[in-house]
Amino acid sequence: MQNTKPRVSKATISRIPLYYRAVVQLQQEGVARIRSERLSEIIHIPSATIRRDFSSFGELGKSGYGYSIATLVEEFGQLLDVDSSEAIILVGVGGLGRALLMNNFRRNPDLNIVMAFDADPDKVNTRIGGIPVYPFATLAAHMNPNIHTAILAVPSSAQTGVIGTLEAFGINAIMTFAPQPVACAPQTTIRYIDLTSELQTLLYTAHQKMKVR
Amino acid sequence: MQNTKPRVSKATISRIPLYYRAVVQLQQEGVARIRSERLSEIIHIPSATIRRDFSSFGELGKSGYGYSIATLVEEFGQLLDVDSSEAIILVGVGGLGRALLMNNFRRNPDLNIVMAFDADPDKVNTRIGGIPVYPFATLAAHMNPNIHTAILAVPSSAQTGVIGTLEAFGINAIMTFAPQPVACAPQTTIRYIDLTSELQTLLYTAHQKMKVR
DNA sequence: CTGACCTTGTGAACGCTTACACAGAATTCA
DNA sequence: TGAATTCTGTGTAAGCGTTCACAAGGTCAG
Ligand SMILES: NC(=O)c1ccc[n+]([C@@H]2O[C@H](COP(=O)([O-])OP(=O)(O)OC[C@H]3O[C@@H](n4cnc5c(N)ncnc54)[C@H](O)[C@@H]3O)[C@@H](O)[C@H]2O)c1
Ligand SMILES: NC(=O)c1ccc[n+]([C@@H]2O[C@H](COP(=O)([O-])OP(=O)(O)OC[C@H]3O[C@@H](n4cnc5c(N)ncnc54)[C@H](O)[C@@H]3O)[C@@H](O)[C@H]2O)c1
């Protein structure tokens, strides 16, 4: 029995992180206000889209003035829940997993990989970037019910099994680099980062562009 | 003055790599034919979408039969130009760059990182995963006019400069992991892989799902 | 305080993408 | 061969997202 239920579109949601990053950056530069037209130049999103997106969260701006950076930082920060730190686990400490551990979303203090797991005995019981790496078989012993998020960097062939196990331990948000599609439980959200597809699509698009000219 | 110009939508293009991977996999398993409904179960794309997509490349299937795997592999392979090997350079051999070099899209023989560059003297004049790493300053000496594609894994702050240099040497397709938006030449296509945004969007979506139930 | 100026928020049009549903074409099997 | 069955390709409609364009409302200088 709340208010008018102003649904936020998927497309808008996927842009919130970009808006948040931009306004935080501007705030650090000491900028106090911005208009949609100027923000458009910075992040390369049409100003009409920006205004439409912003308005779906309420009337954030002021006519003839623009938007207050502080308001935007506050609003998007709340939407992304940056005040409560998100504990994330990583599974698969190969090349990619190692890179993620070393970086650990350093710029975003709310995003934290807190531990990692691997099936390979040679890779476990050590620390990478300060984060402990445990045997995947000991997942049960290290998991705790406050952790709902995992990043996967395991081979495609291992993915289905790993996701099944993680779901059993309460994980319901997964970002994975293995493109193997997995049927998951309804409460689980999976985001595939498919680097090969991204590259192939890029190449196809670039080639098309060449042909046209 | 060609034929009917059957335009292929962006959404369809981004799915070609998925289709290609699936049909190659099926071919390796010895499958000879498939119907849209079955393929839908495998890759989790609605069968109507699959049929619509496929039909935009001509009449690939047969009523009452389905699609011949061999035809699909051939068709998508041609679209993605898998027969002519793509020479790619990598710039930025940090954690992520190293992981990319070690992997080098092993499963896709047409995608090849042929050399890498870094600005840090400690990281150059060596080989990683068999691929030579050169000083970024020597780009001119190593570039050749058959290379049009680059993958970037440099810090955001370095990105604009690096892209400018690459464009000057004929690069027109770039996949980058630094989210810093860059204004590029019109013939250049840039694809941003923004891991932080992907993760934040995932978390937002997953949190929403929790609230609803 | 006033008026010129500026910028938002949004109705409406548009274009792209997905989804439905089925006619017709090809297959399969007896 | 013929009839029942299968499955594509696509007309059509619905849904979603973007873009245009401007009225309404707030700003700000003087
Ligand atoms: N690195 C790239 O350039 C690249 C490109 C495209 C796709 N990918 C995909 O990303 C994923 C990770 O890539 P990578 O280069 O880090 O691979 P990698 O082989 O270097 O690392 C995989 C890690 O997963 C571990 N592992 C295997 N099975 C496991 C299990 N059941 N439980 C826990 N850990 C397990 C292995 O011990 C290894 O440490 C792969 O699926 C790969 O296909 C990577
Ligand atoms: N690793 C992650 O988990 C992660 C997550 C999100 C975003 N990213 C982004 O991906 C990019 C790469 O990440 P990383 O973890 O590999 O970073 P990194 O710091 O490990 O590596 C960056 C590399 O780029 C090199 N470099 C710096 N300036 C250069 C220049 N002008 N020319 C050539 N090389 C230069 C550095 O010497 C270094 O080797 C960064 O932009 C980072 O923000 C990484």
Side-chain angles (χ1 to χ4, degrees), chain B residues 87-91 114-117 134-151 162 165-173:
Chain B
I88 303 164
I89 66 170
L90 172 87
V91 183
V114 295
M115 52 191 161
F117 298 90
Y134 303 119
F136 188 66
T138 66
L139 185 68
H142 293 100
M143 268 300 281
N144 83 60
N146 293 324
I147 303 181
H148 305 287
T149 310
I151 299 176
V162 169
T165 306
L166 293 177
E167 282 182 327
F169 286 101
I171 296 288
N172 61 26

PDB file of all heavy atoms in Angstrom, chain B residues 87-91 114-117 134-151 162 165-173:
ATOM      1  N   ALA B  87      44.020 -10.859 -36.076  1.00  0.00           N
ATOM      2  CA  ALA B  87      45.200 -10.543 -35.260  1.00  0.00           C
ATOM      3  C   ALA B  87      44.863  -9.397 -34.322  1.00  0.00           C
ATOM      4  O   ALA B  87      44.470  -8.321 -34.754  1.00  0.00           O
ATOM      5  CB  ALA B  87      46.375 -10.166 -36.149  1.00  0.00           C
ATOM      6  N   ILE B  88      45.026  -9.641 -33.032  1.00  0.00           N
ATOM      7  CA  ILE B  88      44.611  -8.688 -32.006  1.00  0.00           C
ATOM      8  C   ILE B  88      45.818  -8.304 -31.161  1.00  0.00           C
ATOM      9  O   ILE B  88      46.682  -9.134 -30.885  1.00  0.00           O
ATOM     10  CB  ILE B  88      43.543  -9.341 -31.092  1.00  0.00           C
ATOM     11  CG1 ILE B  88      42.351  -9.817 -31.936  1.00  0.00           C
ATOM     12  CG2 ILE B  88      43.104  -8.402 -29.985  1.00  0.00           C
ATOM     13  CD1 ILE B  88      41.447 -10.793 -31.208  1.00  0.00           C
ATOM     14  N   ILE B  89      45.892  -7.045 -30.753  1.00  0.00           N
ATOM     15  CA  ILE B  89      46.923  -6.674 -29.794  1.00  0.00           C
ATOM     16  C   ILE B  89      46.279  -6.368 -28.442  1.00  0.00           C
ATOM     17  O   ILE B  89      45.107  -5.989 -28.370  1.00  0.00           O
ATOM     18  CB  ILE B  89      47.767  -5.464 -30.247  1.00  0.00           C
ATOM     19  CG1 ILE B  89      46.917  -4.191 -30.313  1.00  0.00           C
ATOM     20  CG2 ILE B  89      48.431  -5.741 -31.595  1.00  0.00           C
ATOM     21  CD1 ILE B  89      47.746  -2.932 -30.518  1.00  0.00           C
ATOM     22  N   LEU B  90      47.074  -6.573 -27.403  1.00  0.00           N
ATOM     23  CA  LEU B  90      46.603  -6.284 -26.051  1.00  0.00           C
ATOM     24  C   LEU B  90      47.444  -5.146 -25.486  1.00  0.00           C
ATOM     25  O   LEU B  90      48.667  -5.151 -25.641  1.00  0.00           O
ATOM     26  CB  LEU B  90      46.752  -7.523 -25.163  1.00  0.00           C
ATOM     27  CG  LEU B  90      46.468  -7.299 -23.677  1.00  0.00           C
ATOM     28  CD1 LEU B  90      44.983  -7.464 -23.404  1.00  0.00           C
ATOM     29  CD2 LEU B  90      47.267  -8.246 -22.803  1.00  0.00           C
ATOM     30  N   VAL B  91      46.806  -4.193 -24.855  1.00  0.00           N
ATOM     31  CA  VAL B  91      47.560  -3.117 -24.210  1.00  0.00           C
ATOM     32  C   VAL B  91      47.225  -3.113 -22.720  1.00  0.00           C
ATOM     33  O   VAL B  91      46.054  -3.020 -22.349  1.00  0.00           O
ATOM     34  CB  VAL B  91      47.237  -1.741 -24.828  1.00  0.00           C
ATOM     35  CG1 VAL B  91      48.096  -0.661 -24.181  1.00  0.00           C
ATOM     36  CG2 VAL B  91      47.427  -1.760 -26.333  1.00  0.00           C
ATOM     37  N   VAL B 114      48.241 -11.398 -30.729  1.00  0.00           N
ATOM     38  CA  VAL B 114      49.545 -11.705 -31.327  1.00  0.00           C
ATOM     39  C   VAL B 114      50.704 -11.008 -30.612  1.00  0.00           C
ATOM     40  O   VAL B 114      51.843 -11.443 -30.703  1.00  0.00           O
ATOM     41  CB  VAL B 114      49.569 -11.355 -32.831  1.00  0.00           C
ATOM     42  CG1 VAL B 114      48.583 -12.255 -33.587  1.00  0.00           C
ATOM     43  CG2 VAL B 114      49.250  -9.889 -33.065  1.00  0.00           C
ATOM     44  N   MET B 115      50.391  -9.897 -29.922  1.00  0.00           N
ATOM     45  CA  MET B 115      51.429  -9.279 -29.102  1.00  0.00           C
ATOM     46  C   MET B 115      50.778  -8.354 -28.076  1.00  0.00           C
ATOM     47  O   MET B 115      49.606  -8.020 -28.193  1.00  0.00           O
ATOM     48  CB  MET B 115      52.440  -8.513 -29.955  1.00  0.00           C
ATOM     49  CG  MET B 115      51.833  -7.523 -30.905  1.00  0.00           C
ATOM     50  SD  MET B 115      53.102  -6.929 -32.066  1.00  0.00           S
ATOM     51  CE  MET B 115      52.090  -6.271 -33.381  1.00  0.00           C
ATOM     52  N   ALA B 116      51.577  -7.967 -27.088  1.00  0.00           N
ATOM     53  CA  ALA B 116      51.028  -7.138 -26.031  1.00  0.00           C
ATOM     54  C   ALA B 116      51.985  -5.990 -25.738  1.00  0.00           C
ATOM     55  O   ALA B 116      53.172  -6.047 -26.070  1.00  0.00           O
ATOM     56  CB  ALA B 116      50.795  -7.976 -24.779  1.00  0.00           C
ATOM     57  N   PHE B 117      51.430  -4.928 -25.145  1.00  0.00           N
ATOM     58  CA  PHE B 117      52.235  -3.744 -24.820  1.00  0.00           C
ATOM     59  C   PHE B 117      51.940  -3.282 -23.406  1.00  0.00           C
ATOM     60  O   PHE B 117      50.817  -3.404 -22.922  1.00  0.00           O
ATOM     61  CB  PHE B 117      51.920  -2.613 -25.804  1.00  0.00           C
ATOM     62  CG  PHE B 117      52.255  -2.938 -27.215  1.00  0.00           C
ATOM     63  CD1 PHE B 117      51.320  -3.541 -28.052  1.00  0.00           C
ATOM     64  CD2 PHE B 117      53.525  -2.663 -27.721  1.00  0.00           C
ATOM     65  CE1 PHE B 117      51.643  -3.853 -29.369  1.00  0.00           C
ATOM     66  CE2 PHE B 117      53.855  -2.977 -29.034  1.00  0.00           C
ATOM     67  CZ  PHE B 117      52.910  -3.569 -29.864  1.00  0.00           C
ATOM     68  N   TYR B 134      55.827  -6.029 -25.422  1.00  0.00           N
ATOM     69  CA  TYR B 134      56.756  -4.969 -25.801  1.00  0.00           C
ATOM     70  C   TYR B 134      56.457  -3.674 -25.046  1.00  0.00           C
ATOM     71  O   TYR B 134      55.330  -3.473 -24.574  1.00  0.00           O
ATOM     72  CB  TYR B 134      56.649  -4.695 -27.300  1.00  0.00           C
ATOM     73  CG  TYR B 134      56.891  -5.884 -28.190  1.00  0.00           C
ATOM     74  CD1 TYR B 134      55.896  -6.341 -29.046  1.00  0.00           C
ATOM     75  CD2 TYR B 134      58.118  -6.551 -28.189  1.00  0.00           C
ATOM     76  CE1 TYR B 134      56.113  -7.429 -29.888  1.00  0.00           C
ATOM     77  CE2 TYR B 134      58.348  -7.648 -29.019  1.00  0.00           C
ATOM     78  CZ  TYR B 134      57.342  -8.082 -29.863  1.00  0.00           C
ATOM     79  OH  TYR B 134      57.559  -9.151 -30.692  1.00  0.00           O
ATOM     80  N   PRO B 135      57.436  -2.781 -24.997  1.00  0.00           N
ATOM     81  CA  PRO B 135      57.171  -1.456 -24.406  1.00  0.00           C
ATOM     82  C   PRO B 135      56.140  -0.714 -25.264  1.00  0.00           C
ATOM     83  O   PRO B 135      56.226  -0.760 -26.495  1.00  0.00           O
ATOM     84  CB  PRO B 135      58.527  -0.755 -24.484  1.00  0.00           C
ATOM     85  CG  PRO B 135      59.529  -1.841 -24.659  1.00  0.00           C
ATOM     86  CD  PRO B 135      58.843  -2.940 -25.396  1.00  0.00           C
ATOM     87  N   PHE B 136      55.219  -0.038 -24.614  1.00  0.00           N
ATOM     88  CA  PHE B 136      54.185   0.675 -25.367  1.00  0.00           C
ATOM     89  C   PHE B 136      54.802   1.715 -26.298  1.00  0.00           C
ATOM     90  O   PHE B 136      54.269   1.991 -27.373  1.00  0.00           O
ATOM     91  CB  PHE B 136      53.196   1.345 -24.411  1.00  0.00           C
ATOM     92  CG  PHE B 136      52.006   1.932 -25.118  1.00  0.00           C
ATOM     93  CD1 PHE B 136      51.092   1.122 -25.759  1.00  0.00           C
ATOM     94  CD2 PHE B 136      51.825   3.321 -25.144  1.00  0.00           C
ATOM     95  CE1 PHE B 136      49.990   1.670 -26.424  1.00  0.00           C
ATOM     96  CE2 PHE B 136      50.730   3.868 -25.806  1.00  0.00           C
ATOM     97  CZ  PHE B 136      49.809   3.044 -26.448  1.00  0.00           C
ATOM     98  N   ALA B 137      55.947   2.238 -25.882  1.00  0.00           N
ATOM     99  CA  ALA B 137      56.610   3.256 -26.704  1.00  0.00           C
ATOM    100  C   ALA B 137      57.079   2.704 -28.048  1.00  0.00           C
ATOM    101  O   ALA B 137      57.318   3.458 -28.995  1.00  0.00           O
ATOM    102  CB  ALA B 137      57.796   3.854 -25.946  1.00  0.00           C
ATOM    103  N   THR B 138      57.203   1.380 -28.149  1.00  0.00           N
ATOM    104  CA  THR B 138      57.677   0.780 -29.399  1.00  0.00           C
ATOM    105  C   THR B 138      56.529   0.300 -30.284  1.00  0.00           C
ATOM    106  O   THR B 138      56.730  -0.486 -31.205  1.00  0.00           O
ATOM    107  CB  THR B 138      58.605  -0.418 -29.117  1.00  0.00           C
ATOM    108  OG1 THR B 138      57.845  -1.470 -28.498  1.00  0.00           O
ATOM    109  CG2 THR B 138      59.750  -0.025 -28.194  1.00  0.00           C
ATOM    110  N   LEU B 139      55.342   0.774 -29.976  1.00  0.00           N
ATOM    111  CA  LEU B 139      54.165   0.368 -30.754  1.00  0.00           C
ATOM    112  C   LEU B 139      54.401   0.541 -32.254  1.00  0.00           C
ATOM    113  O   LEU B 139      54.152  -0.365 -33.047  1.00  0.00           O
ATOM    114  CB  LEU B 139      52.951   1.199 -30.312  1.00  0.00           C
ATOM    115  CG  LEU B 139      51.599   0.849 -30.931  1.00  0.00           C
ATOM    116  CD1 LEU B 139      51.136  -0.527 -30.454  1.00  0.00           C
ATOM    117  CD2 LEU B 139      50.557   1.900 -30.579  1.00  0.00           C
ATOM    118  N   ALA B 140      54.907   1.696 -32.611  1.00  0.00           N
ATOM    119  CA  ALA B 140      55.122   1.996 -34.040  1.00  0.00           C
ATOM    120  C   ALA B 140      55.964   0.924 -34.725  1.00  0.00           C
ATOM    121  O   ALA B 140      55.660   0.481 -35.834  1.00  0.00           O
ATOM    122  CB  ALA B 140      55.796   3.359 -34.188  1.00  0.00           C
ATOM    123  N   ALA B 141      57.018   0.491 -34.036  1.00  0.00           N
ATOM    124  CA  ALA B 141      57.925  -0.486 -34.633  1.00  0.00           C
ATOM    125  C   ALA B 141      57.278  -1.853 -34.843  1.00  0.00           C
ATOM    126  O   ALA B 141      57.646  -2.586 -35.756  1.00  0.00           O
ATOM    127  CB  ALA B 141      59.163  -0.638 -33.744  1.00  0.00           C
ATOM    128  N   HIS B 142      56.316  -2.196 -33.999  1.00  0.00           N
ATOM    129  CA  HIS B 142      55.732  -3.534 -34.077  1.00  0.00           C
ATOM    130  C   HIS B 142      54.399  -3.599 -34.793  1.00  0.00           C
ATOM    131  O   HIS B 142      53.974  -4.669 -35.207  1.00  0.00           O
ATOM    132  CB  HIS B 142      55.565  -4.117 -32.666  1.00  0.00           C
ATOM    133  CG  HIS B 142      56.857  -4.387 -31.987  1.00  0.00           C
ATOM    134  ND1 HIS B 142      57.405  -3.532 -31.047  1.00  0.00           N
ATOM    135  CD2 HIS B 142      57.747  -5.391 -32.122  1.00  0.00           C
ATOM    136  CE1 HIS B 142      58.552  -4.013 -30.630  1.00  0.00           C
ATOM    137  NE2 HIS B 142      58.798  -5.141 -31.263  1.00  0.00           N
ATOM    138  N   MET B 143      53.734  -2.468 -34.921  1.00  0.00           N
ATOM    139  CA  MET B 143      52.412  -2.492 -35.558  1.00  0.00           C
ATOM    140  C   MET B 143      52.562  -2.835 -37.029  1.00  0.00           C
ATOM    141  O   MET B 143      53.559  -2.528 -37.654  1.00  0.00           O
ATOM    142  CB  MET B 143      51.748  -1.126 -35.433  1.00  0.00           C
ATOM    143  CG  MET B 143      50.887  -0.992 -34.203  1.00  0.00           C
ATOM    144  SD  MET B 143      49.551  -2.196 -34.164  1.00  0.00           S
ATOM    145  CE  MET B 143      48.388  -1.414 -35.292  1.00  0.00           C
ATOM    146  N   ASN B 144      51.538  -3.482 -37.561  1.00  0.00           N
ATOM    147  CA  ASN B 144      51.496  -3.635 -39.004  1.00  0.00           C
ATOM    148  C   ASN B 144      50.082  -3.385 -39.477  1.00  0.00           C
ATOM    149  O   ASN B 144      49.121  -3.511 -38.711  1.00  0.00           O
ATOM    150  CB  ASN B 144      52.062  -4.992 -39.436  1.00  0.00           C
ATOM    151  CG  ASN B 144      51.047  -6.099 -39.338  1.00  0.00           C
ATOM    152  OD1 ASN B 144      49.993  -6.063 -39.976  1.00  0.00           O
ATOM    153  ND2 ASN B 144      51.371  -7.089 -38.514  1.00  0.00           N
ATOM    154  N   PRO B 145      49.929  -3.023 -40.725  1.00  0.00           N
ATOM    155  CA  PRO B 145      48.643  -2.518 -41.204  1.00  0.00           C
ATOM    156  C   PRO B 145      47.538  -3.566 -41.264  1.00  0.00           C
ATOM    157  O   PRO B 145      46.393  -3.230 -41.566  1.00  0.00           O
ATOM    158  CB  PRO B 145      48.975  -1.973 -42.601  1.00  0.00           C
ATOM    159  CG  PRO B 145      50.280  -2.565 -42.967  1.00  0.00           C
ATOM    160  CD  PRO B 145      50.987  -2.950 -41.731  1.00  0.00           C
ATOM    161  N   ASN B 146      47.860  -4.824 -40.970  1.00  0.00           N
ATOM    162  CA  ASN B 146      46.790  -5.820 -40.958  1.00  0.00           C
ATOM    163  C   ASN B 146      46.099  -5.930 -39.607  1.00  0.00           C
ATOM    164  O   ASN B 146      45.173  -6.705 -39.445  1.00  0.00           O
ATOM    165  CB  ASN B 146      47.351  -7.198 -41.335  1.00  0.00           C
ATOM    166  CG  ASN B 146      47.818  -7.219 -42.769  1.00  0.00           C
ATOM    167  OD1 ASN B 146      47.211  -6.588 -43.635  1.00  0.00           O
ATOM    168  ND2 ASN B 146      48.921  -7.907 -43.023  1.00  0.00           N
ATOM    169  N   ILE B 147      46.594  -5.170 -38.654  1.00  0.00           N
ATOM    170  CA  ILE B 147      46.006  -5.244 -37.317  1.00  0.00           C
ATOM    171  C   ILE B 147      45.061  -4.078 -37.095  1.00  0.00           C
ATOM    172  O   ILE B 147      45.449  -2.917 -37.209  1.00  0.00           O
ATOM    173  CB  ILE B 147      47.101  -5.252 -36.236  1.00  0.00           C
ATOM    174  CG1 ILE B 147      48.051  -6.433 -36.484  1.00  0.00           C
ATOM    175  CG2 ILE B 147      46.477  -5.343 -34.850  1.00  0.00           C
ATOM    176  CD1 ILE B 147      49.158  -6.564 -35.473  1.00  0.00           C
ATOM    177  N   HIS B 148      43.818  -4.399 -36.801  1.00  0.00           N
ATOM    178  CA  HIS B 148      42.808  -3.365 -36.624  1.00  0.00           C
ATOM    179  C   HIS B 148      42.139  -3.431 -35.256  1.00  0.00           C
ATOM    180  O   HIS B 148      41.264  -2.644 -34.955  1.00  0.00           O
ATOM    181  CB  HIS B 148      41.723  -3.525 -37.679  1.00  0.00           C
ATOM    182  CG  HIS B 148      42.240  -3.543 -39.065  1.00  0.00           C
ATOM    183  ND1 HIS B 148      42.713  -2.410 -39.691  1.00  0.00           N
ATOM    184  CD2 HIS B 148      42.419  -4.548 -39.949  1.00  0.00           C
ATOM    185  CE1 HIS B 148      43.130  -2.722 -40.901  1.00  0.00           C
ATOM    186  NE2 HIS B 148      42.970  -4.017 -41.091  1.00  0.00           N
ATOM    187  N   THR B 149      42.527  -4.435 -34.465  1.00  0.00           N
ATOM    188  CA  THR B 149      41.777  -4.711 -33.245  1.00  0.00           C
ATOM    189  C   THR B 149      42.672  -4.699 -32.010  1.00  0.00           C
ATOM    190  O   THR B 149      43.780  -5.225 -32.054  1.00  0.00           O
ATOM    191  CB  THR B 149      41.113  -6.103 -33.356  1.00  0.00           C
ATOM    192  OG1 THR B 149      40.414  -6.185 -34.585  1.00  0.00           O
ATOM    193  CG2 THR B 149      40.174  -6.363 -32.203  1.00  0.00           C
ATOM    194  N   ALA B 150      42.171  -4.103 -30.930  1.00  0.00           N
ATOM    195  CA  ALA B 150      42.933  -4.066 -29.686  1.00  0.00           C
ATOM    196  C   ALA B 150      42.039  -4.367 -28.497  1.00  0.00           C
ATOM    197  O   ALA B 150      40.846  -4.046 -28.512  1.00  0.00           O
ATOM    198  CB  ALA B 150      43.589  -2.703 -29.503  1.00  0.00           C
ATOM    199  N   ILE B 151      42.633  -5.007 -27.506  1.00  0.00           N
ATOM    200  CA  ILE B 151      41.968  -5.171 -26.219  1.00  0.00           C
ATOM    201  C   ILE B 151      42.746  -4.335 -25.221  1.00  0.00           C
ATOM    202  O   ILE B 151      43.977  -4.396 -25.172  1.00  0.00           O
ATOM    203  CB  ILE B 151      41.945  -6.648 -25.778  1.00  0.00           C
ATOM    204  CG1 ILE B 151      41.179  -7.479 -26.800  1.00  0.00           C
ATOM    205  CG2 ILE B 151      41.334  -6.786 -24.390  1.00  0.00           C
ATOM    206  CD1 ILE B 151      41.176  -8.972 -26.504  1.00  0.00           C
ATOM    207  N   VAL B 162      45.838   6.306 -24.633  1.00  0.00           N
ATOM    208  CA  VAL B 162      46.158   5.067 -25.342  1.00  0.00           C
ATOM    209  C   VAL B 162      45.278   4.923 -26.590  1.00  0.00           C
ATOM    210  O   VAL B 162      45.762   4.593 -27.680  1.00  0.00           O
ATOM    211  CB  VAL B 162      45.990   3.845 -24.409  1.00  0.00           C
ATOM    212  CG1 VAL B 162      46.049   2.545 -25.206  1.00  0.00           C
ATOM    213  CG2 VAL B 162      47.056   3.852 -23.327  1.00  0.00           C
ATOM    214  N   THR B 165      46.418   7.108 -29.437  1.00  0.00           N
ATOM    215  CA  THR B 165      47.606   6.547 -30.096  1.00  0.00           C
ATOM    216  C   THR B 165      47.236   5.370 -31.001  1.00  0.00           C
ATOM    217  O   THR B 165      47.676   5.287 -32.158  1.00  0.00           O
ATOM    218  CB  THR B 165      48.619   6.066 -29.035  1.00  0.00           C
ATOM    219  OG1 THR B 165      48.888   7.146 -28.139  1.00  0.00           O
ATOM    220  CG2 THR B 165      49.902   5.590 -29.690  1.00  0.00           C
ATOM    221  N   LEU B 166      46.421   4.470 -30.473  1.00  0.00           N
ATOM    222  CA  LEU B 166      46.042   3.282 -31.249  1.00  0.00           C
ATOM    223  C   LEU B 166      45.336   3.669 -32.540  1.00  0.00           C
ATOM    224  O   LEU B 166      45.593   3.101 -33.606  1.00  0.00           O
ATOM    225  CB  LEU B 166      45.147   2.363 -30.409  1.00  0.00           C
ATOM    226  CG  LEU B 166      45.807   1.692 -29.207  1.00  0.00           C
ATOM    227  CD1 LEU B 166      44.790   0.858 -28.429  1.00  0.00           C
ATOM    228  CD2 LEU B 166      46.978   0.815 -29.639  1.00  0.00           C
ATOM    229  N   GLU B 167      44.444   4.644 -32.440  1.00  0.00           N
ATOM    230  CA  GLU B 167      43.718   5.082 -33.636  1.00  0.00           C
ATOM    231  C   GLU B 167      44.690   5.585 -34.702  1.00  0.00           C
ATOM    232  O   GLU B 167      44.520   5.325 -35.890  1.00  0.00           O
ATOM    233  CB  GLU B 167      42.703   6.170 -33.278  1.00  0.00           C
ATOM    234  CG  GLU B 167      41.444   5.617 -32.633  1.00  0.00           C
ATOM    235  CD  GLU B 167      40.414   6.700 -32.321  1.00  0.00           C
ATOM    236  OE1 GLU B 167      40.829   7.836 -31.995  1.00  0.00           O
ATOM    237  OE2 GLU B 167      39.207   6.412 -32.403  1.00  0.00           O
ATOM    238  N   ALA B 168      45.709   6.277 -34.242  1.00  0.00           N
ATOM    239  CA  ALA B 168      46.700   6.807 -35.184  1.00  0.00           C
ATOM    240  C   ALA B 168      47.427   5.688 -35.932  1.00  0.00           C
ATOM    241  O   ALA B 168      47.927   5.890 -37.030  1.00  0.00           O
ATOM    242  CB  ALA B 168      47.706   7.677 -34.443  1.00  0.00           C
ATOM    243  N   PHE B 169      47.443   4.493 -35.334  1.00  0.00           N
ATOM    244  CA  PHE B 169      48.113   3.369 -35.988  1.00  0.00           C
ATOM    245  C   PHE B 169      47.140   2.414 -36.676  1.00  0.00           C
ATOM    246  O   PHE B 169      47.485   1.280 -36.985  1.00  0.00           O
ATOM    247  CB  PHE B 169      48.982   2.608 -34.983  1.00  0.00           C
ATOM    248  CG  PHE B 169      50.242   3.350 -34.632  1.00  0.00           C
ATOM    249  CD1 PHE B 169      50.344   4.064 -33.452  1.00  0.00           C
ATOM    250  CD2 PHE B 169      51.322   3.357 -35.523  1.00  0.00           C
ATOM    251  CE1 PHE B 169      51.502   4.765 -33.145  1.00  0.00           C
ATOM    252  CE2 PHE B 169      52.477   4.050 -35.213  1.00  0.00           C
ATOM    253  CZ  PHE B 169      52.566   4.766 -34.028  1.00  0.00           C
ATOM    254  N   GLY B 170      45.920   2.870 -36.881  1.00  0.00           N
ATOM    255  CA  GLY B 170      44.990   2.090 -37.691  1.00  0.00           C
ATOM    256  C   GLY B 170      44.055   1.160 -36.945  1.00  0.00           C
ATOM    257  O   GLY B 170      43.292   0.425 -37.553  1.00  0.00           O
ATOM    258  N   ILE B 171      44.100   1.190 -35.615  1.00  0.00           N
ATOM    259  CA  ILE B 171      43.155   0.378 -34.848  1.00  0.00           C
ATOM    260  C   ILE B 171      41.758   0.994 -34.955  1.00  0.00           C
ATOM    261  O   ILE B 171      41.613   2.200 -34.775  1.00  0.00           O
ATOM    262  CB  ILE B 171      43.575   0.331 -33.358  1.00  0.00           C
ATOM    263  CG1 ILE B 171      44.920  -0.361 -33.193  1.00  0.00           C
ATOM    264  CG2 ILE B 171      42.495  -0.346 -32.513  1.00  0.00           C
ATOM    265  CD1 ILE B 171      44.905  -1.841 -33.413  1.00  0.00           C
ATOM    266  N   ASN B 172      40.763   0.180 -35.271  1.00  0.00           N
ATOM    267  CA  ASN B 172      39.402   0.721 -35.330  1.00  0.00           C
ATOM    268  C   ASN B 172      38.373  -0.125 -34.581  1.00  0.00           C
ATOM    269  O   ASN B 172      37.172   0.130 -34.648  1.00  0.00           O
ATOM    270  CB  ASN B 172      38.962   0.941 -36.782  1.00  0.00           C
ATOM    271  CG  ASN B 172      38.946  -0.353 -37.562  1.00  0.00           C
ATOM    272  OD1 ASN B 172      38.798  -1.426 -37.006  1.00  0.00           O
ATOM    273  ND2 ASN B 172      39.093  -0.241 -38.873  1.00  0.00           N
ATOM    274  N   ALA B 173      38.836  -1.152 -33.894  1.00  0.00           N
ATOM    275  CA  ALA B 173      37.928  -1.949 -33.061  1.00  0.00           C
ATOM    276  C   ALA B 173      38.611  -2.158 -31.717  1.00  0.00           C
ATOM    277  O   ALA B 173      39.726  -2.667 -31.660  1.00  0.00           O
ATOM    278  CB  ALA B 173      37.622  -3.290 -33.719  1.00  0.00           C
TER     279      ALA B 173
END
